[in-house]
Amino acid sequence: MKATHLRAFSGLSALCNLIVTYNTPQEPVMPAENIALKSTPYWWEAAPVAPLPEMPLERQVDVAIVGAGYAGLTAGMTLARAGRSVAIYDRQHPGEGASSRNGGITSGNIRLDHATLVKKFGQARADAIILEGKVARQHLYDMLSNEGIDCDFKLVGRFGGALGTNDYERMARQAEHLERTLGVESYAVPQSEQHKYIGTDFFRGGSVRMDIGGLHPAKLIAELLRVAQTAGAVVHSDTAVETIDREGEGFTLRTGRGTVKARQVLVCTNGYTDSATPWLRRRIVPVRSRIIATEPLAPELISRLMPRRMMLNDTRTLGFYFRLSPDGTRILFGGRDGSTLEDPSKPVAYLRRNLLEIFPELESTDITHSWYGNVAMHRDMIPRIFEKKGVHYATGFCGSGVVWAPWIGRKAAHKLLGSKDEAPSAFDFKPPAPIPLYNGKPWFMPFFMMKYRMDDRLKMRRAGR
């Protein structure tokens, strides 16, 4: 292999050692009767995404926002209330991407541990990032309350299951650190007590943190759309931004419906970044995350499997997240989907097999829904605000956009406003580095997935599985 190619693969290693995605499951195809009946999100049944009535395109606005998801709508609301004329453009229906497809867990995860953050960004910024995570989560909860947003939110806490004793000890230390440094109610749960939190013997204990809850993501995006429009932001659905060009002190955006001039531009496309922003596209990797939903379960079974109705996850590298539906009748189980084809058979079989490893009682339970959406990963794995040639970006939420997207969108809006009384964000700094030899198609991921699968198999073996 040429030296230049070796350097490129070396440059990829930082990203590929962190992005736990694109795992192409090798399990056999499920029998036809077990294939999910619906490929649309379970969430859309209570809150379907829909196009907006077509309105004439503005000739000129103060701020043009690309992307009508959590980040774009929160930024638009903030800017409009400050008196700016704001137009938000989305190539799909508002929220049709990850904002209406995700698990609805208010995790606000930071993928890097504190030691790695210190090594990469320095002690001061690392501490500020961890602290701002607490503030961002509280901002979401305050916004739901203050804006009267009805999205089935419940602050139920999250239980993380440990695969082995090493994981349990690490989680216990992390829980103690959270309690001591941030005042977050968090504690270890030994294996002898885990049935109080989850009805399985699969885990070797775990930990709880009580500042995390669950909500209905499609209801959240519908409510944010309502609030943004009421504030005065104009939202255009099915209006793809094709190019963004600097012209003097402003910008010209060419869309599928005409051109618009704007003084400022904010891009909030995240996992749905396309060729309209080729510079950003070289830095953001779209990663499929898939969720399956069971048929409605008997109340006594729900009470046995999820006695505290918490959000749940585990410590695998290619980990899983799961929860009850807001009405408490179904289990939703999600993880990374490494397939690139539209046939869901293998990824659905993969998720179902792992669901049954945790809850064998569900063997005869049907899967009624299976869907996926794109999350956005990048080399630094930290949500980010940054600027390039006058265009501002709020993106890179790394699978935790329920908390990060509204917060980063809001902070980016205040940056555009030049707000003097708004504290600077720890997430506002240099953009993530480009990924070598990458231009939108993550061709490199299969080369690294064997390592992740082997890591998890080794971890399971050490845990006596």
Side-chain angles (χ1 to χ4, degrees):
M1 185 177 287
K2 293 181 180 180
T4 54
H5 290 175
L6 286 171
R7 286 194 295 271
F9 275 96
S10 175
L12 284 172
S13 63
L15 174 71
C16 295
N17 284 331
L18 290 168
I19 299 180
V20 291
T21 54
Y22 283 87
N23 177 39
T24 303
Q26 302 299 316
E27 289 73 21
V29 175
M30 291 167 56
E33 63 269 19
N34 287 326
I35 294 294
L37 297 178
K38 297 183 180 180
S39 60
T40 52
Y42 167 75
W43 308 119
W44 290 7
E45 297 190 3
V49 297
L52 299 176
E54 185 171 306
M55 295 180 293
L57 221 59
E58 301 79 7
R59 297 183 61 184
Q60 188 162 350
V61 294
D62 291 330
V63 185
I65 298 176
V66 186
Y70 296 153
L73 292 176
T74 306
M77 169 186 71
T78 305
L79 290 160
R81 286 177 174 171
R84 302 297 192 269
S85 60
V86 180
I88 307 173
Y89 307 94
D90 200 295
R91 75 168 189 250
Q92 304 182 101
H93 308 334
E96 188 175 352
S99 292
S100 65
R101 297 170 179 267
N102 64 82
I105 302 174
T106 65
S107 57
N109 289 330
I110 293 294
R111 302 286 171 177
L112 307 183
D113 62 27
H114 187 260
T116 305
L117 288 172
V118 171
K119 183 177 180 180
K120 290 178 69 70
F121 306 119
Q123 185 73 48
R125 188 176 294 274
D127 291 345
I129 285 171
I130 297 300
L131 180 60
E132 197 164 326
K134 179 180 179 181
V135 177
R137 193 177 291 102
Q138 189 59 50
H139 161 260
L140 173 64
Y141 301 160
D142 291 343
M143 182 175 68
L144 299 182
S145 176
N146 296 338
E147 303 293 346
I149 291 176
D150 181 6
C151 61
D152 301 329
F153 172 64
K154 294 180 181 177
L155 189 60
V156 292
R158 183 184 69 186
F159 173 85
L163 292 183
T165 55
N166 288 340
D167 284 345
Y168 172 74
E169 291 168 1
R170 175 179 54 81
M171 295 169 81
R173 291 192 298 270
Q174 289 176 341
E176 182 182 2
H177 179 76
L178 276 174
E179 184 92 46
R180 184 177 66 252
T181 61
L182 294 182
V184 172
E185 183 183 357
S186 185
Y187 52 89
V189 176
Q191 187 177 6
S192 61
E193 297 182 16
Q194 75 180 23
H195 275 244
K196 297 177 182 178
Y197 300 86
I198 182 170
T200 182
D201 294 321
F202 183 81
F203 297 119
R204 302 295 187 258
S207 68
V208 165
R209 57 180 298 174
M210 290 304 300
D211 61 337
I212 292 174
L215 51 74
H216 191 301
K219 288 185 179 181
L220 173 58
I221 194 68
E223 288 281 82
L224 284 176
L225 176 62
R226 171 186 63 80
V227 172
Q229 290 176 315
T230 300
V234 179
V235 185
H236 295 277
S237 64
D238 304 297
T239 305
V241 173
E242 298 171 352
T243 60
I244 303 170
D245 297 311
R246 185 73 182 256
E247 291 189 0
E249 295 299 312
F251 301 87
T252 297
L253 287 76
R254 182 168 62 86
T255 79
R257 295 176 49 216
T259 60
V260 178
K261 293 188 180 296
R263 280 199 307 113
Q264 296 174 304
V265 175
L266 176 62
V267 176
C268 304
T269 49
N270 205 48
Y272 293 80
T273 297
D274 59 21
S275 58
T277 51
W279 178 84
L280 179 62
R281 199 178 193 187
R282 292 193 294 271
R283 290 159 169 79
I284 296 293
V285 179
V287 174
R288 281 188 183 183
S289 191
R290 181 177 289 273
I291 302 176
I292 57 175
T294 70
E295 64 180 331
L297 304 174
E300 59 271 19
L301 180 59
I302 290 289
S303 294
R304 186 166 68 253
L305 300 184
M306 296 186 173
R308 300 206 182 186
R309 274 64 174 171
M310 285 183 161
M311 305 294 107
L312 301 142
N313 69 345
D314 68 22
T315 58
R316 275 174 278 206
T317 305
L318 292 166
F320 301 96
Y321 53 93
F322 46 114
R323 58 168 293 182
L324 286 180
S325 57
D327 64 4
T329 63
R330 303 168 185 257
I331 292 178
L332 310 183
F333 190 87
R336 300 303 180 228
D337 175 351
S339 64
T340 57
L341 303 176
E342 294 308 308
D343 179 7
S345 300
K346 287 186 176 181
V348 171
Y350 173 70
L351 287 176
R352 183 174 183 272
R353 181 178 69 81
N354 282 279
L355 171 64
L356 295 180
E357 280 189 339
I358 297 172
F359 298 128
E361 298 96 322
L362 300 179
E363 176 65 43
S364 61
T365 300
D366 285 338
I367 302 300
T368 61
H369 299 70
S370 171
W371 70 96
Y372 69 86
N374 292 339
V375 298
M377 305 290 189
H378 54 88
R379 290 180 68 177
D380 287 342
M381 302 300 284
I382 299 293
R384 199 72 119 254
I385 303 166
F386 50 89
E387 179 265 338
K388 175 70 172 179
K389 295 184 178 178
V391 176
H392 291 77
Y393 300 86
T395 189
F397 307 129
C398 301
S400 294
V402 176
V403 167
W404 289 121
W407 175 253
I408 295 296
R410 175 184 175 275
K411 297 298 282 188
H414 279 287
K415 182 178 181 180
L416 292 176
L417 291 168
S419 302
K420 301 297 184 183
D421 57 349
E422 183 76 14
S425 173
F427 297 91
D428 183 357
F429 59 114
K430 66 179 183 179
I435 300 167
L437 307 179
Y438 171 67
N439 195 29
K441 182 177 175 59
W443 55 268
F444 44 81
M445 294 310 299
F447 292 101
F448 296 89
M449 288 308 98
M450 184 178 295
K451 175 184 183 301
Y452 301 137
R453 290 194 294 270
M454 290 178 63
D455 286 348
D456 282 337
R457 288 169 185 158
L458 181 59
K459 179 179 282 191
M460 297 283 280
R461 192 176 299 121
R462 286 173 175 169
R465 311 300 172 83

